[in-house]
Amino acid sequence: MATEKPILAFLGVGLMGLPMTLRLLQSGYRVHVWNRSRGKLAPALERGAIESATPRDAAKSADIVMLCLLDTRAVEEVVFGPDGVAEAEGRGKVLVDHSSIRPDATRTFAERLASRSSMQWVDAPVSGGVKGAQEGTLAIMCGGHPEAVDRVRPALAAYARNITHMGPAGAGQTTKLCNQVIVGSALAVIAEAVTLAQSSGVDATRLPEAFAGGFADSMPLRIWVPRMVGGYAEAIGTANLLLKDLDTAADLARSTGTPLPMAGLARELFRALAAQGKGDDDPAALVTLYRKPRD
Amino acid sequence: MATEKPILAFLGVGLMGLPMTLRLLQSGYRVHVWNRSRGKLAPALERGAIESATPRDAAKSADIVMLCLLDTRAVEEVVFGPDGVAEAEGRGKVLVDHSSIRPDATRTFAERLASRSSMQWVDAPVSGGVKGAQEGTLAIMCGGHPEAVDRVRPALAAYARNITHMGPAGAGQTTKLCNQVIVGSALAVIAEAVTLAQSSGVDATRLPEAFAGGFADSMPLRIWVPRMVGGYAEAIGTANLLLKDLDTAADLARSTGTPLPMAGLARELFRALAAQGKGDDDPAALVTLYRKPRD
């Protein structure tokens, strides 16, 4: 018994949003797209996406509205600003926020959207990076009403292998902050392991091979050791994006009385990198903190 | 063309050494065993291992002598002490040290053994824990002459899936320290993520499921989150063993001028745990630093 596919809108077609949108198109979804800078829409439009003039227009056309934006402020603007999502009638519709934003703001936004337009909110931040988006292997941590999560699950499966419902609105964002506590700290630690290997005469490029299948193995190890040792053609994520998440985690930790010594140190190391003017660089740049310039 | 299997000796049949020895026996090797406290030999003897009275006797009987001991001092004692391995003629034989000890001591020991008894030294510390030993999926990082490593490789394959030759004697130990920089720090960070989830109303037991396939996924995550949240029947490794490796890594870092801010903090957190009298507890006990007693 085939049911008709819901019509989608995707707002924020950037580094992550573009490959996610392309996978939705490949899966046969009709996708309305909007982006602050229109230039970035081209690859999606070439593959059949339909351009919307505003977030409101996109929300009018769609059953499910996906967001993948930079930060809390951008989400508030796109949802509640002029011509925002909240200006469209939203009964029976679901907003899926793939952005990584504050859990407390998420709870407020969810209530505000429900009372303004009756649209339901699912927070659904992702882990797995651009490669995970391209290959459809993202991990998505969801917060919201269970029925809303179940409704959007088939569409999310276009780019995610693992979709976990963690609790009410905000629970996805809280889980993502726990994720970033681990990832941000892991990147800082990998930079140390690489540096220790190099300074001790061991070929650091071979660490992922040596650690494969052991306790030190991880996706960040396999992706970032080569980038830290040999450099990279382009950034996959930036130090400042990680720093933003580590700062949000620190706010949550403070408000809940949770000590985060390791993640707190990682945060200040990424801030040191930003202070050196390298915040927009790949997180792999962290290794330069421990090396002579020009090494 | 079947070649005869070398005869083995295994010295140090403890938490890791026992499952490794049992897998060698299962693979059809003749294994001479010795342990400081004889009581621990029973399970190996029941399965066909042959007891040696001293490390020297074990080394006399075997072509390859495996060690899995607690620390640098224990290795020195068993190899160079009275009735030690070095007192047996060692020409054509290889000593494989699975213990995690100092890289500088390893280089000294290797030269001393070669000049005393002509036995070759392969340092071969492991990662993957008791479970990895039982299932034969350990990662082993080797240092030593390439031909010596190749000679012992088939026997090591009884308990290892990944055997990587990293360089001359000591290179395996240096690589293991890089491994422990990552693992020790990861355990401390996982304790923070678990605590942040719990204090923020998210079910921490579900973090491994939510992170599966994403950047925060790792073997320590899957093994230690349940232990940190729900406790454990018995320790798999101890906080003090990790602390020992983090201290050795700090010594190597100091001697090579390598900053290790994250691993240095993890080290002091494990030392705080030890100061609370919990050094012999499972590393999962680290989470108690961030909780009210009796929580």
Side-chain angles (χ1 to χ4, degrees):
Chain A
M1 217 167 51
T3 52
E4 212 163 317
K5 275 183 151 76
I7 295 170
L8 310 179
F10 209 106
L11 316 182
V13 187
L15 202 61
M16 290 294 291
L18 176 61
M20 292 162 83
T21 299
L22 295 182
R23 289 197 65 95
L24 289 170
L25 292 166
Q26 280 166 14
S27 299
Y29 284 98
R30 185 183 172 97
V31 189
H32 296 263
V33 291
W34 173 89
N35 198 69
R36 184 167 306 274
S37 50
R38 288 185 57 195
K40 293 202 175 162
L41 292 178
L45 298 178
E46 282 166 19
R47 287 172 182 78
I50 304 144
E51 182 170 0
S52 293
T54 66
R56 180 188 53 194
D57 288 350
K60 272 187 186 165
S61 310
D63 305 305
I64 299 172
V65 182
M66 283 126 162
L67 264 59
C68 198
L69 301 167
L70 188 66
D71 55 19
T72 304
R73 186 203 298 248
V75 171
E76 181 162 30
E77 173 71 17
V78 166
V79 179
F80 300 106
D83 291 323
V85 171
E87 291 186 10
E89 166 58 37
R91 195 167 302 279
K93 298 188 176 186
V94 184
L95 179 150
V96 179
D97 184 18
H98 289 308
S99 325
S100 290
I101 69 167
R102 302 175 60 92
D104 53 356
T106 293
R107 285 188 288 271
T108 306
F109 291 170
E111 286 171 22
R112 213 167 134 193
L113 185 67
S115 70
R116 278 273 282 278
S117 84
S118 299
M119 196 181 291
Q120 285 188 291
W121 191 289
V122 169
D123 46 310
V126 308
S127 180
V130 174
K131 192 157 172 271
Q134 288 167 341
E135 298 176 355
T137 58
L138 291 172
I140 304 193
M141 303 139 222
C142 298
H145 288 291
E147 321 84 67
V149 173
D150 283 342
R151 268 196 61 202
V152 303
R153 204 180 274 273
L156 270 49
Y159 38 75
R161 185 175 290 164
N162 178 15
I163 302 162
T164 312
H165 182 220
M166 296 299 291
Q173 296 296 352
T174 298
T175 305
K176 175 67 189 282
L177 291 178
C178 296
N179 188 87
Q180 295 303 80
V181 159
I182 292 176
V183 175
S185 303
L187 283 168
V189 169
I190 291 167
E192 296 180 11
V194 162
T195 309
L196 184 61
Q198 292 180 319
S199 64
S200 311
V202 160
D203 181 356
T205 58
R206 300 194 56 222
L207 293 182
E209 174 193 348
F211 296 165
F215 283 161
D217 197 1
S218 71
M219 206 188 299
L221 180 89
R222 294 188 291 267
I223 293 175
W224 272 282
V225 165
R227 299 173 77 80
M228 288 181 184
V229 178
Y232 39 88
E234 50 188 69
I236 48 167
T238 71
N240 276 345
L241 270 172
L242 261 181
L243 179 55
K244 178 205 76 166
D245 291 347
L246 290 172
D247 277 336
T248 310
D251 288 344
L252 178 63
R254 184 175 169 178
S255 72
T256 54
T258 310
L260 295 183
M262 297 287 294
L265 176 56
R267 170 168 89 121
E268 298 312 323
L269 291 168
F270 278 106
R271 201 177 325 282
L273 190 67
Q276 293 187 352
K278 298 177 181 168
D280 292 326
D281 209 339
D282 188 281
L286 199 65
V287 78
T288 63
L289 288 184
Y290 310 123
R291 269 186 202 157
K292 280 188 212 157
R294 300 173 177 283
D295 252 23
Chain B
M1 214 166 58
T3 53
E4 212 163 317
K5 276 182 152 72
I7 294 169
L8 310 179
F10 209 106
L11 315 183
V13 186
L15 203 62
M16 291 294 292
L18 176 61
M20 293 162 82
T21 299
L22 295 183
R23 288 196 66 95
L24 290 170
L25 291 166
Q26 279 164 15
S27 300
Y29 284 99
R30 185 183 172 96
V31 189
H32 296 262
V33 291
W34 172 90
N35 198 68
R36 183 168 305 275
S37 50
R38 288 185 58 196
K40 293 198 176 165
L41 292 179
L45 298 179
E46 282 165 20
R47 286 170 183 78
I50 303 144
E51 183 172 359
S52 292
T54 65
R56 180 188 54 193
D57 288 349
K60 272 186 186 167
S61 310
D63 304 304
I64 299 172
V65 181
M66 283 125 163
L67 264 57
C68 198
L69 301 167
L70 187 68
D71 55 20
T72 304
R73 186 204 297 248
V75 171
E76 181 162 29
E77 172 71 16
V78 166
V79 179
F80 300 107
D83 291 322
V85 171
E87 292 186 9
E89 166 59 38
R91 194 166 302 278
K93 299 188 177 187
V94 183
L95 179 150
V96 179
D97 183 18
H98 289 309
S99 326
S100 290
I101 69 168
R102 304 175 59 93
D104 53 356
T106 293
R107 285 188 288 274
T108 307
F109 291 168
E111 286 171 23
R112 213 167 133 194
L113 185 68
S115 71
R116 278 273 283 278
S117 83
S118 299
M119 197 181 290
Q120 283 188 295
W121 190 288
V122 169
D123 46 310
V126 307
S127 181
V130 174
K131 191 158 172 272
Q134 288 167 339
E135 297 175 357
T137 58
L138 292 173
I140 304 192
M141 305 139 219
C142 298
H145 287 292
E147 322 85 67
V149 173
D150 283 341
R151 265 195 64 202
V152 302
R153 203 180 275 273
L156 269 49
Y159 38 75
R161 187 176 289 164
N162 179 14
I163 302 163
T164 313
H165 183 220
M166 297 299 291
Q173 297 295 353
T174 298
T175 305
K176 174 68 189 284
L177 291 177
C178 296
N179 187 88
Q180 295 303 79
V181 159
I182 292 177
V183 175
S185 303
L187 283 167
V189 170
I190 291 167
E192 295 180 13
V194 162
T195 308
L196 184 62
Q198 291 181 319
S199 63
S200 311
V202 160
D203 182 358
T205 59
R206 300 194 56 220
L207 294 182
E209 175 193 348
F211 296 165
F215 283 162
D217 196 2
S218 70
M219 204 187 300
L221 181 88
R222 294 189 291 268
I223 293 175
W224 271 282
V225 166
R227 299 174 76 81
M228 288 181 185
V229 178
Y232 38 87
E234 49 187 73
I236 47 167
T238 72
N240 275 345
L241 270 172
L242 262 181
L243 179 55
K244 177 203 76 167
D245 290 348
L246 290 171
D247 277 335
T248 310
D251 288 344
L252 178 63
R254 183 175 172 180
S255 72
T256 54
T258 310
L260 295 182
M262 298 287 292
L265 177 56
R267 170 167 89 120
E268 299 311 322
L269 292 168
F270 278 107
R271 201 178 324 282
L273 191 66
Q276 292 188 352
K278 298 176 181 169
D280 291 327
D281 209 340
D282 188 280
L286 199 64
V287 79
T288 63
L289 288 184
Y290 309 123
R291 267 185 203 159
K292 279 189 212 151
R294 297 173 181 284
D295 252 23

